[in-house]
Amino acid sequence: MFMLKYIIRNAFRHKLRSLLTITGVAIAILAFGLLRTLVGLWYLGVESSSSTRLVTRNAISLVFSLPISYKERIRQIPGVSRVGAMNWFGGIYISEKNFFPNFAVEPRAYLDLYPEFLLSQEEQKGFLLDRQGAVVGRKLAAKYGWKLGDRVVLKGTIFPGQWEFIVRGIYRGAQRSTDETQFFFNWDYLNETMRRTIPRRADQVGIFVVGVSNPERAAEVAQAIDSTFKNSLAETMSETEKAFQLSFVAMTEAIMIAIQIVSYVVIVIIMVVAANTMAMTARERISEYATLKTLGFQWHHIAGAVFGESLFIAILGGSVGILGTFPAAAVIEKELSQFFPSFHVATSTTLLQLAAALIVGASSAVFPTWRAATIRIADGLRRIG
Amino acid sequence: MESETGIVTIRNVTKSYRRGSQVVPVLEDISFGIRSGEFLALMGPSGSGKSTLLNLIAGIDKVDSGSISIGGCEITTLSDSELAGWRAVNVGFVFQFYNLIPVLTAYENVELPLLLTRLTRRERREHVEAALDIVSLSDRMDHRPSQLSGGQQQRVAIARAVVTDPAILVADEPTGDLDRVSAGEILSLMDHLVRDFQKTIIMVTHDPRAAEKAHVIRHLEKGLLTDG
Ligand SMILES: Nc1ncnc2c1ncn2[C@@H]1O[C@H](COP(=O)(O)OP(=O)(O)O)[C@@H](O)[C@H]1O
Ligand SMILES: [Mg+2]
């Protein structure tokens, strides 16, 4: 009881100093939490790509396309359940800063291949029947205020021209981590327009998304696809969607690793700062601790007081940081929705934050605790005056 | 040598400090005794070893050689934690700069030594109130040290020193930081403790007026007792 009172009163002895330390710890723990969340979401995105889907592209590079005629031949390979052609469209909505992924897809195949995009029966029908129909994610629709039946114009970059679409469906994600910011439309619309305007670019496919009936045989199927087109004009390269995503984000992965390192560096910095503050505090109180020892208090009483104070401050700062993480994440989710489809703080992240706060408190207490506990009384008392 | 029946018996005590590679002798072959109920003043120039000697008697520093027996207990053979327990029961401390804990009230400061005993909260309250009554500060028990004058703070320190009812009080220049009036009050209080509560007091002082109150005066000079 007394110890608790003593620890708490000591913690607020220098109000400004304590406030600054608590604020520092809070900011560090908050930053740590947000950075961990960012990294976690990125890996979650990679993890959540399905292992039942393969992506087949031109072996030379993504820049080169594949003929649509490959579709039938891929479908005939054993183990393949579905094939859908897809082109990265890269259209711009009004201004370049309104970035969102948009593709041309084969509607029936795409909806079957991506069951995580939930669409009502009517919307599915509307999409399948309208050549100019488009389906958009719930978040994207909310962002631009699109409703069913709205006309949306994208400016083509890879495929020149002004492209008009009618919103026929607004999908929700089956999971929290499902991307709700995509825009996809009928591949035939793209292809027929190309046939009329730039015929040599018609019947060309960016990638084929291939569904496999047995995920365990995905590698075999990929190999079978690639050997089918060996020595043909356009050789293929097939891999799981996950591997495909990873190759896309290899660069981003380096950034993610850097962010992870930074998240730990933040903790180390606050550890050093807190340790310095605690050492300063303990040094000022050496004669006080010597007095307590004189009165008969033992080293473990003194150690408990110093350690407790350090831990108390760290936990206080840590709690503020943890509580602040949720509103901060909500703001990020709202403001930066095109980059982070869902900025959700995982429970494991909160626990990691708590652990980080405890480590900051404990590590910054080690040296002052040792000093205070081992100070010889006669030396400690001489510090007065 | 003093009589063997004294409450404190010091025999052939030597003490030196290390300063780098140099060994600085502070006390050399000190022997004397203190009788129960005695008010002893320890005088001498600055640096002569008065505080060191007081610390040795109070069990907060260790001798190099020699023996110190207090109330029949040979304290030079006790371990650090045994000494801590022994101090809590047998010695009360009064320092030049009061050494109160700033974040605790007068009441809480006086209660401190009792937290190490088995007394109940209620018993502790009785002891603390009695001790504060002796030093006439019952009306200030909820004040923090910073809200008290120097003399009042030293009185709180004296209450803290006597609250466990130890046989011996040690005081290192208790009036050194006080004005004449407050110093006078502190000395009367010490006198009162010796007379009416049969305490044994060992007080280091520079103040001739303080020495007047003492029954016995001993002089230290360069680590040697020059009288007795
Ligand atoms: N912990 C210590 N370390 C080194 N030297 C010390 C220590 N304590 C005391 N001394 C030295 O011992 C001598 C006596 O000190 P002290 O007992 O405090 O004298 P006094 O109280 O008579 O002024 C001084 O020279 C002082 O510098
Ligand atoms: Mg001294």
Side-chain angles (χ1 to χ4, degrees):
Chain A
M1 253 321 283
F2 163 74
M3 263 302 166
L4 206 61
K5 178 168 71 185
Y6 184 52
I7 286 170
I8 293 173
R9 287 197 200 161
N10 271 339
F12 294 110
R13 208 140 140 186
H14 290 275
K15 293 217 168 50
L16 181 65
R17 184 192 293 174
S18 302
L19 200 72
L20 289 174
T21 310
I22 289 169
T23 309
V25 173
I27 291 173
I29 295 297
L30 174 74
F32 179 73
L34 293 179
L35 293 175
R36 302 296 315 173
T37 301
L38 173 65
V39 171
L41 289 176
W42 186 83
Y43 279 105
L44 189 69
V46 173
E47 295 298 319
S48 69
S49 37
S50 162
S51 55
T52 63
R53 291 191 290 256
L54 297 176
V55 171
T56 298
R57 60 173 169 96
N58 190 300
I60 302 169
S61 148
L62 256 179
V63 176
F64 298 96
S65 50
L66 296 170
I68 186 71
S69 58
Y70 279 21
K71 183 175 155 187
E72 271 315 306
R73 294 173 65 192
I74 293 173
R75 204 210 307 274
Q76 278 156 24
I77 291 167
V80 171
S81 61
R82 281 214 85 89
V83 186
M86 186 163 160
N87 276 80
W88 175 259
F89 183 66
I92 293 167
Y93 179 61
I94 302 173
S95 149
E96 294 206 15
K97 66 179 199 300
N98 299 330
F99 172 84
F100 52 83
N102 47 78
F103 330 91
V105 303
E106 291 183 300
R108 187 67 266 166
Y110 196 72
L111 291 177
D112 289 347
L113 282 163
Y114 289 86
E116 61 262 47
F117 296 154
L118 305 178
L119 214 54
S120 73
Q121 285 298 325
E122 293 93 292
E123 286 172 287
Q124 289 203 18
K125 211 183 282 168
F127 181 41
L128 295 173
L129 292 180
D130 184 354
R131 188 128 294 202
Q132 271 176 272
V135 171
V136 301
R138 187 171 58 101
K139 287 216 172 114
L140 192 64
K143 184 169 182 198
Y144 296 113
W146 294 334
K147 293 177 299 300
L148 292 181
D150 279 5
R151 181 176 302 267
V152 174
V153 176
L154 297 188
K155 183 161 128 310
T157 52
I158 306 165
F159 304 94
Q162 296 290 326
W163 297 74
E164 255 185 53
F165 304 99
I166 310 292
V167 178
R168 289 299 177 199
I170 295 174
Y171 72 85
R172 344 176 95 262
Q175 267 117 39
R176 247 206 114 103
S177 60
T178 308
D179 185 359
E180 290 182 336
T181 67
Q182 292 192 10
F183 181 113
F184 48 88
F185 61 90
N186 202 325
W187 188 82
D188 288 339
Y189 177 36
L190 175 70
N191 199 44
E192 279 161 20
T193 311
M194 283 298 111
R195 228 176 239 157
R196 270 190 283 112
T197 54
I198 319 171
R200 68 180 164 82
R201 288 187 63 186
D203 296 331
Q204 296 295 310
V205 175
I207 59 171
F208 288 104
V209 179
V210 180
V212 294
S213 32
N214 180 358
E216 272 159 34
R217 293 189 52 223
E220 274 171 58
V221 175
Q223 215 161 28
I225 296 172
D226 291 347
S227 53
T228 304
F229 301 107
K230 197 130 199 121
N231 301 321
S232 68
L233 216 51
E235 294 194 350
T236 63
M237 151 91 171
S238 303
E239 54 198 345
T240 60
E241 187 177 55
K242 184 165 164 179
F244 177 71
Q245 296 266 8
L246 273 175
S247 74
F248 242 118
V249 294
M251 173 69 183
T252 339
E253 178 159 40
I255 295 171
M256 286 302 143
I257 290 169
I259 290 176
Q260 278 192 74
I261 293 171
V262 168
S263 75
Y264 287 117
V265 167
V266 168
I267 294 301
V268 171
I269 290 172
I270 195 65
M271 222 143 89
V272 173
V273 171
N276 181 48
T277 310
M278 287 314 296
M280 184 157 68
T281 302
R283 190 164 53 237
E284 287 167 3
R285 297 208 197 121
I286 281 297
S287 71
E288 192 172 314
Y289 297 142
T291 304
L292 287 173
K293 280 192 178 182
T294 304
L295 297 180
F297 286 89
Q298 307 255 6
W299 70 267
H300 58 263
H301 296 116
I302 313 295
V306 181
F307 201 83
E309 181 177 348
S310 184
L311 218 55
F312 177 76
I313 287 181
I315 289 175
L316 209 61
S319 307
V320 173
I322 288 170
L323 291 179
T325 306
F326 296 98
V331 170
I332 291 176
E333 179 164 324
K334 189 157 173 288
E335 297 297 319
L336 301 175
S337 58
Q338 74 261 45
F339 301 114
F340 309 111
S342 136
F343 206 81
H344 168 69
V345 183
T347 309
S348 61
T349 301
T350 304
L351 293 177
L352 215 58
Q353 284 177 293
L354 193 65
L358 291 176
I359 288 170
V360 167
S363 66
S364 63
V366 170
F367 178 70
T369 301
W370 176 78
R371 283 270 297 156
T374 57
I375 181 82
R376 290 177 57 251
I377 299 174
D379 294 339
L381 289 175
R382 289 177 74 86
R383 295 292 190 92
I384 290 187
Chain B
M1 289 263 294
E2 293 289 333
S3 86
E4 300 290 315
T5 59
I7 188 168
V8 179
T9 308
I10 298 162
R11 277 209 203 89
N12 311 106
V13 163
T14 62
K15 174 76 183 174
S16 54
Y17 284 111
R18 252 170 206 295
R19 215 172 275 149
S21 58
Q22 232 178 328
V23 177
V24 186
V26 179
L27 298 174
E28 290 176 61
D29 199 25
I30 303 282
S31 297
F32 71 102
I34 302 166
R35 282 190 305 275
S36 182
E38 187 171 299
F39 189 170
L40 172 82
L42 211 50
M43 301 190 73
S46 181
S48 56
K50 306 182 296 295
S51 294
T52 303
L53 180 55
L54 196 71
N55 289 347
L56 292 174
I57 296 170
I60 56 181
D61 207 349
K62 298 254 181 145
V63 300
D64 290 347
S65 67
S67 83
I68 299 176
S69 161
I70 295 178
C73 175
E74 180 55 51
I75 64 167
T76 52
T77 62
L78 298 181
S79 72
D80 279 356
S81 73
E82 286 169 337
L83 265 180
W86 175 83
R87 281 195 305 272
V89 175
N90 294 285
V91 190
F93 294 84
V94 181
F95 307 90
Q96 180 177 357
F97 298 104
Y98 335 126
N99 291 25
L100 299 176
I101 308 298
V103 291
L104 302 180
T105 63
Y107 180 94
E108 289 162 342
N109 266 286
V110 176
E111 192 188 18
L112 269 179
L114 298 178
L115 297 173
L116 296 167
T117 67
R118 291 174 181 283
L119 296 183
T120 64
R121 197 185 178 77
R122 178 114 143 257
E123 290 165 330
R124 293 205 301 268
R125 172 158 280 276
E126 283 164 13
H127 282 69
V128 173
E129 281 171 355
L132 282 169
D133 190 46
I134 294 173
V135 299
S136 323
L137 280 176
S138 301
D139 55 337
R140 297 292 153 90
M141 53 173 128
D142 294 326
H143 288 51
R144 295 270 177 106
S146 59
Q147 299 165 317
L148 297 170
S149 72
Q152 287 172 329
Q153 288 188 56
Q154 194 61 298
R155 275 148 64 197
V156 173
I158 290 172
R160 181 178 68 185
V162 300
V163 74
T164 54
D165 199 24
I168 300 171
L169 292 185
V170 299
D172 197 343
E173 306 195 31
T175 60
D177 201 47
L178 297 175
D179 59 78
R180 285 175 63 89
V181 176
S182 302
E185 282 171 14
I186 296 300
L187 290 171
S188 310
L189 199 48
M190 302 270 235
D191 200 40
H192 175 48
L193 290 172
V194 174
R195 271 177 211 287
D196 304 326
F197 295 91
Q198 289 75 49
K199 300 292 173 204
T200 304
I201 296 185
I202 308 160
M203 174 175 71
V204 168
T205 187
H206 280 302
D207 184 352
R209 288 190 320 130
E212 266 171 39
K213 296 269 186 188
H215 307 153
V216 179
I217 300 177
R218 290 192 183 274
H219 289 276
L220 257 183
E221 199 119 11
K222 294 188 180 143
L224 293 167
L225 281 175
T226 56
D227 49 10

